[in-house]
Amino acid sequence: MKITRIVLTLLIVLSIIQCTSEEQNPVPQILSVSPASIVAHLPEFTMTVNGQDFVEGSAIIFDGKEKPSTFISTTQLSCIISPEDTMMEITSNNTNADEIKNMEKQVSITVRNPAPGGGDSSPVNFTLKENFDFESPRRLFDSIANGWAGPLIIDKDDDMYVNISDVEINKYNLNVKNYLSTSDDGGDTWSTIENIVNKSDSNIEHLLVDDYGNVHFFYTDYRSNISAIFYKRKNKGDDTWSEPVNIVGVDKSMYRTYLEEGVAIRGDKMFIFWAVTTWTYDYYIAFSFSEDNGKSWSSPQKLKDLGYIGWIQALLTENGTLHIVYGNAIRKASWEFYVDIHTTRSSDNGKTWSDQVMLSNGAGRSYYPQIAYGGSGGNFNIFWILKKTGQITQDIVTNFNRKKGEIIKKMSEGFSPDTDRPVQSNMAIPPSYHLKIRDTEDDGNNWGIERNIVDFVTTDDYFNMHFFVKTDIAGNMNLVVNEEGSFYGVASGSNSSSESIAAYFTRSLDGGLNWTTPVYFSDDPEMIAEYLNVDSKGNVYILLNKYDFSEYFKVEPYFSRSIRD
């Protein structure tokens, strides 16, 4: 019995000695974190923590949440930070920029070493920012003396492609040469420009890049008195472009085709939409499609007989549903026209179409719809401008919708709908402009309520607000707006605190309910944001064009981009 007690005592002593002699993990120490700050809710990124005394099993604790961590060495760990990890609440609604303050949020980061020993390091702060900073706009393509840049396309590898239009004006004739330049380093450097089209009178061009790296280019040309939309392509690795193909063909009943921005691509399928005005002033939407990556195109298909059509946008979702959005002018009373935003969709590649849905509420004239799509599922948003005024003004839409006989007669007498607008005596009440949004979460089966994003009031009786919107893969909506009076270099006032007229950027992390503090690019009243795009990391790239109307018509392209951290 005494021997048994002695043995037990010895075993206990040995166990204590063994436990006290087992190596203890140290308490870790953080020296730095990379990046040290980030714009909130960006697509996922890798965080690297540098420090001392890290061990196998060390974990990064981000804002109280333990992240699956990779042990690189005793001085370095890494982990993936998701958009949800960096979410921050944006409480502003961006209706009065002067009252909105910049927002930042401090997040605690620690490293935890496992037992035995171990424990948590002292915390370090990580900064979440509500919005990007942007580089000052810099001049692009000095060899282009007079011309605009855009559109700006980003492919799946985050390489950028931009069209540059070199413009010559001879009285009222527009001669345009189109060039392509690319960047594979986020816009640090751009390739030597290469010619796409040697001469046209196109002022609307579209550039697409498919998943295979082939480049597709659409443009208009009316010089031969044929209302034509042309297509060219350049296969990846080739040095030359294909010969132009007239997608519209020759139809003498058409007075003019309007390319607008109705192009969509997914896989080998491409669709292009345009608005048609006939000589007898009928209006309809037409389209053509390719199912072999642009090698061949269908004959033009007539979609719908509608009122005056404008601003067509197209989307082919991941689910295979084809959507178009457009403005449609409807006569409310004599000399009074409202323009509303409509949408229709097809699930069989354009063979049949749904009944059109009116997205705007008929309260005024709605302009320039744009689609914001993150690239997956059937969840997307549609934005547009609503113009409201106390006195209905006469503009281009009104002139284009007079009685057919009157319009044709006036055209034969030299009437120009763009310049011969009737004068209205009572213009005391200035128009107001409102940026609107509606969303769908089920590929257009149902639509959310109409919501207001931005309000502007202007003394100028013409459309003075322009915008571009893109959704990144984290679901953030990125928006650039040209403030009132800045479009086409017309200065009529500003809502910014500096009284300058400028383009600004804002973003929404919550589906458009709240928007971040505006970030202004420049106080130059002639610097106009023309295109916006985002890459897979959430970085934002913006093309701006500077208009100098003192020389009748002179344009210079500029470029700005976000600074991620």
Side-chain angles (χ1 to χ4, degrees), residues 152-426:
L152 172 66
I153 303 300
I154 301 178
D155 69 13
K156 62 183 181 63
D157 298 318
D158 287 340
D159 293 336
M160 291 192 288
Y161 303 73
V162 63
N163 165 69
I164 311 101
S165 299
D166 191 2
V167 182
E168 296 177 358
I169 296 180
N170 180 12
K171 291 185 178 180
Y172 297 103
N173 295 320
L174 191 68
N175 294 320
V176 180
K177 296 180 180 180
N178 294 104
Y179 298 90
L180 176 71
S181 182
T182 62
S183 175
D184 60 6
D185 55 13
D188 283 337
T189 59
W190 293 87
S191 68
T192 302
I193 60 175
E194 59 177 280
N195 183 249
I196 307 174
V197 178
N198 194 44
K199 199 170 187 180
S200 74
D201 67 351
S202 179
N203 63 352
I204 298 180
E205 302 86 17
H206 294 298
L207 192 65
L208 296 175
V209 181
D210 61 34
D211 291 340
Y212 314 108
N214 305 315
V215 185
H216 309 267
F217 188 73
F218 303 86
Y219 64 100
T220 58
D221 194 348
Y222 305 125
R223 291 176 304 145
S224 61
N225 293 323
I226 297 175
S227 194
I229 296 174
F230 289 99
Y231 164 78
K232 299 184 74 171
R233 62 176 280 144
K234 179 184 177 184
N235 293 329
K236 185 175 182 179
D238 286 356
D239 294 326
T240 58
W241 290 80
S242 68
E243 291 298 315
V245 175
N246 184 356
I247 293 177
V248 174
V250 179
D251 185 344
K252 294 184 179 180
S253 70
M254 294 187 300
Y255 163 63
R256 183 59 60 94
T257 59
Y258 301 89
L259 179 56
E260 306 293 348
E261 298 182 4
V263 290
I265 185 171
R266 186 168 290 274
D268 287 332
K269 294 180 181 179
M270 282 191 290
F271 292 83
I272 178 168
F273 295 82
W274 60 92
V276 175
T277 302
T278 69
W279 285 101
T280 55
Y281 274 66
D282 294 316
Y283 309 96
Y284 61 89
I285 296 174
F287 71 98
S288 181
F289 62 89
S290 172
E291 296 184 300
D292 54 11
N293 202 242
K295 296 182 178 67
S296 62
W297 289 87
S298 72
S299 58
Q301 312 289 308
K302 186 175 180 179
L303 177 59
K304 285 184 180 293
D305 286 302
L306 299 164
Y308 176 79
I309 304 297
W311 316 296
I312 302 170
Q313 296 273 319
L315 169 66
L316 187 57
T317 66
E318 183 184 48
N319 301 333
T321 307
L322 180 62
H323 300 262
I324 61 168
V325 184
Y326 49 92
N328 186 13
I330 302 172
R331 185 187 295 276
K332 299 291 184 179
S334 178
W335 290 107
E336 184 176 341
F337 280 82
Y338 282 12
V339 184
D340 280 303
I341 304 303
H342 291 79
T343 183
T344 183
R345 60 186 177 139
S346 172
S347 57
D348 55 10
N349 295 324
K351 294 182 178 66
T352 60
W353 292 85
S354 68
D355 293 335
Q356 62 177 351
V357 176
M358 189 170 78
L359 297 175
S360 52
N361 62 12
R365 293 178 179 172
S366 297
Y367 299 85
Y368 298 107
Q370 289 195 30
I371 303 172
Y373 181 56
S376 62
N379 184 2
F380 60 93
N381 295 267
I382 294 178
F383 293 70
W384 70 91
I385 298 293
L386 170 65
K387 175 183 176 181
K388 297 176 69 175
T389 179
Q391 299 293 328
I392 298 297
T393 60
Q394 308 307 320
D395 59 13
I396 298 173
V397 174
T398 300
N399 286 286
F400 268 87
N401 284 276
R402 293 179 184 179
K403 294 179 181 178
K404 295 179 182 179
E406 293 177 359
I407 295 178
I408 295 171
K409 181 176 184 296
K410 281 185 169 289
M411 288 185 64
S412 68
E413 298 170 353
F415 168 73
S416 171
D418 291 329
T419 57
D420 298 349
R421 293 191 286 168
V423 177
Q424 183 159 321
S425 59
N426 186 355

